[in-house]
């Protein structure tokens, strides 16, 4: 985001408020209920979106030192992340290439070799098969290269490790292309110089799209969040912009409206608004005044989603008792606010099967939801899915 972009966004929001007008799209749109409740569609989304598009699986500080590792479940698949002795990151399916057992059971640690708990076949942290018990007699013609761990495309960028959970792809070029439209904004956040101060994980009985959509419109703020953040935000004032297949949403706080009485050289968007980056399909970054909240949506079933919520703070911030209390306070506010959204998502999911609605309605000031739907539908029209 350039300085000119920042001034333009603030000016746009001030103008909307002055005219008592909302950020409007051309018309009302509709989403069929099956979009959120069809098990077959969910399976296709897992294959064509979550296993074919970049996913942020770890923040850089979680895999910082050489010879460290993390084991994660990503889009329903077991994944092993490693950093080799030269500091380069790798991603593999966490599956033994001999008999298919889970190779690494620990969640994290520091080691450069991994032995399968079934027959002790051993791989290096670069994925090479390095030892096979009784190899000469049992596997006289074994091609070790063909039995290397199945690698996944990985890219370390903008403070995260991004992977594509599809072992048939071999290049990180698609990850770079997906993130290119956000390069200026994500570079500005400097998240490679951040650490995770606190994190929380929830399982919500709702389709993942309901949860994403709840975070990209302000129409509900003064109703749903009346007990938490309502006093700090104008009623239903927001804007959004598509950046490729990704989205940048601006949710101004009341303090932004006071900028009209100040010279433009004193205008600062991040100090006076929540900036939400929705990185397709299931990653969101909420930039606030002094920290960023990383929200990761992991679909578990058509009606169940795991949400990881992490407060990322600058490494330069002192680790004092007062600062840790400050981060804990902010984490609590974010958790309590999102729980209000999650409760609605749970109730909506239950209502989908009632027959009350055949489609959900998106108003003109809920255009971000329609755009998200368009991007998702276009991605699902891949040639192999046509």
């Amino acid at each position: 985001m350039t300085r000119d972009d920042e001034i333009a966004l603030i000016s746009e929001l001030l103008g909307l408020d002055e005219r008592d007008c909302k950020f409007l799209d051309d018309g009302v749109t509709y989403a069929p209920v099956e979009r959120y409740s069809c098990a077959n569609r969910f399976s296709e989304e897992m294959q064509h979106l979550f296993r074919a598009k970049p996913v942020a699986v770890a923040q850089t500080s979680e895999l910082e030192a050489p010879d460290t590792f993390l084991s994660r479940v990503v889009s329903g698949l077991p994944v092993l992340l490693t950093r080799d002795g030269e500091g380069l990151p790798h991603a593999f399916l966490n599956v033994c290439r001999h008999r298919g057992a889970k190779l690494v059971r620990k969640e994290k640690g520091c080691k450069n070799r991994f032995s399968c708990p079934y027959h002790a076949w051993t791989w290096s942290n670069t994925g090479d098969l390095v030892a096979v018990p009784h190899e000469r007699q049992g596997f006289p013609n074994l091609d070790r290269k063909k039995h290397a761990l199945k690698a996944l495309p990985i890219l370390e960028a903008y403070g995260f490790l991004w992977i594509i959970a599809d072992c048939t792809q071999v290049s990180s070029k698609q990850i770079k292309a997906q993130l290119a439209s956000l390069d200026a904004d994500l570079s500005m956040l400097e998240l490679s110089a951040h650490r995770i101060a606190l994190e929380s994980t929830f399982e919500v009985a709702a389709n993942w799209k309901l949860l994403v959509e709840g975070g990209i419109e302000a129409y509900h703020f003064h109703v749903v969040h009346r007990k938490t953040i309502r006093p700090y935000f104008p009623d239903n004032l927001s804007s959004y912009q598509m950046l490729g297949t990704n989205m940048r949403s601006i949710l101004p706080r009341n303090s932004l409206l006071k900028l009209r009485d100040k010279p433009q050289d004193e205008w600062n968007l991040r100090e006076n608004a929540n900036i939400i980056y929705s990185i397709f399909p299931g990653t969101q970054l909420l930039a606030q005044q002094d920290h960023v909240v990383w929200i990761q949506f992991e679909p578990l079933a058509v009606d169940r989603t795991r949400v990881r919520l992490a407060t990322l703070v600058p490494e330069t911030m002192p680790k004092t008792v007062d600062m840790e209390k400050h981060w804990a306070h902010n984490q609590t506010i974010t958790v309590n606010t999102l729980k209000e959204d999650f409760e609605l998502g749970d109730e909506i999911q239950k209502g989908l099967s009632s027959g009350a609605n055949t489609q959900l309605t998106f108003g003109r000031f809920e255009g971000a939801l329609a755009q998200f739907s368009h991007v998702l539908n276009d991605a699902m029209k891949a040639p192999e899915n046509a």
Side-chain angles (χ1 to χ4, degrees):
M1 183 190 302
T2 66
R3 179 60 177 167
D4 287 343
D5 292 333
E6 184 176 21
I7 296 297
L9 288 168
I10 295 173
S11 296
E12 178 180 54
L13 290 163
L14 290 176
L16 290 171
D17 177 68
E18 188 172 10
R19 299 190 304 274
D20 192 22
C21 182
K22 310 307 177 188
F23 188 90
L24 301 175
D25 278 25
D26 291 337
V28 174
T29 57
Y30 304 92
V33 164
E34 289 77 13
R35 180 173 181 261
Y36 309 93
S37 60
C38 176
N40 288 337
R41 180 187 174 93
F42 174 80
S43 297
E44 292 177 354
E45 289 174 351
M46 291 301 294
Q47 179 181 355
H48 297 286
L49 300 180
F50 282 88
R51 294 180 185 174
K53 303 295 182 182
V55 176
V57 293
Q59 204 266 340
T60 297
S61 65
E62 296 181 273
L63 193 76
E64 198 166 29
D67 295 330
T68 52
F69 72 88
L70 296 169
S71 63
R72 295 274 162 90
V73 176
V74 181
S75 304
L77 300 175
V79 171
L80 174 64
L81 303 171
T82 70
R83 193 177 292 279
D84 65 27
E86 302 299 318
L88 297 176
H90 304 268
F92 309 100
L93 290 177
N94 189 12
V95 177
C96 172
R97 298 301 313 287
H98 170 218
R99 295 277 295 280
K102 185 176 183 179
L103 178 61
V104 180
R105 293 172 172 173
K106 291 185 64 176
E107 181 179 343
K108 60 183 178 180
C110 184
K111 60 192 303 186
N112 57 21
R113 291 194 173 196
F114 306 96
S115 292
C116 177
Y118 200 177
H119 299 97
W121 283 36
T122 301
W123 285 265
S124 71
N125 59 7
T126 57
D128 299 317
L129 179 60
V130 295
V132 176
H134 310 294
E135 179 179 2
R136 182 178 298 179
Q137 292 184 11
F139 308 93
N141 299 309
L142 181 68
D143 187 336
R144 289 193 176 189
K145 289 185 178 180
K146 289 184 177 180
H147 288 78
L149 295 180
K150 280 290 185 180
L152 303 172
I154 184 170
L155 177 69
E156 186 168 15
Y158 312 115
F160 293 96
L161 296 167
W162 307 81
I163 74 165
I164 295 177
D166 181 354
C167 63
T168 66
Q169 300 193 41
V170 295
S171 173
S172 62
K173 290 182 179 179
Q174 184 180 342
I175 306 177
K176 292 181 179 179
Q178 175 82 11
L179 300 176
S181 63
L182 293 171
D183 179 71
D185 287 65
L186 295 185
S187 296
M188 177 186 65
L189 294 177
E190 298 183 334
L191 293 180
S192 60
H194 283 56
R195 63 179 176 88
I196 296 178
L198 292 155
E199 63 177 290
S200 307
T201 303
F202 311 90
E203 284 196 16
V204 187
N207 185 272
W208 68 277
K209 295 183 293 296
L210 290 174
L211 304 184
V212 172
E213 290 166 358
I216 55 176
E217 53 90 357
Y219 187 31
H220 72 285
F221 265 44
H222 272 214
V223 181
V224 177
H225 301 310
R226 60 189 180 277
K227 295 180 181 179
T228 51
I229 61 175
R230 170 177 172 163
Y232 308 105
F233 291 85
D235 184 18
N236 196 19
L237 181 62
S238 67
S239 67
Y240 77 90
Q241 181 180 0
M242 297 304 300
L243 302 173
T245 59
N246 308 302
M247 182 185 299
R248 179 178 62 208
S249 306
I250 309 297
L251 302 177
R253 289 189 287 276
N254 291 329
S255 61
L256 184 137
L257 305 182
K258 300 176 182 178
L259 295 181
R260 62 166 50 93
D261 300 323
K262 296 183 178 182
Q264 286 189 358
D265 58 5
E266 295 182 19
W267 288 9
N268 185 298
L269 184 62
R270 187 169 171 181
E271 287 184 0
N272 298 283
N274 286 358
I275 307 172
I276 302 175
Y277 296 96
S278 298
I279 304 170
F280 187 74
T283 300
Q284 287 186 329
L285 297 173
L286 167 58
Q288 297 187 311
Q289 293 102 317
D290 58 3
H291 67 283
V292 175
V293 180
W294 171 31
I295 307 170
Q296 189 70 39
F297 299 100
E298 181 188 349
L300 302 177
V302 67
D303 57 357
R304 184 162 291 276
T305 306
R306 180 180 292 119
V307 183
R308 185 187 186 195
L309 182 69
T311 293
L312 308 180
V313 305
E315 286 281 9
T316 54
M317 290 286 189
K319 296 181 181 180
T320 62
V321 172
D322 286 344
M323 284 307 302
E324 295 307 309
K325 287 181 178 178
H326 171 69
W327 304 132
H329 176 67
N330 279 276
Q331 177 83 355
T332 298
I333 293 173
T334 306
V335 167
N336 289 341
T337 302
L338 287 181
K339 279 184 175 180
E340 294 170 336
D341 287 329
F342 297 162
E343 181 179 353
L344 264 296
D346 185 309
E347 292 175 350
I348 293 169
Q349 192 70 42
K350 289 182 172 66
L352 295 177
S353 60
S354 69
N357 298 298
T358 59
Q359 59 189 10
L360 304 184
T361 305
F362 300 153
R364 292 179 63 195
F365 39 63
E366 297 177 297
L369 281 63
Q371 289 296 327
F372 173 63
S373 180
H374 293 329
V375 168
L376 188 151
N377 289 337
D378 287 345
M380 296 287 286
K381 292 176 184 176
E384 66 270 20
N385 195 38

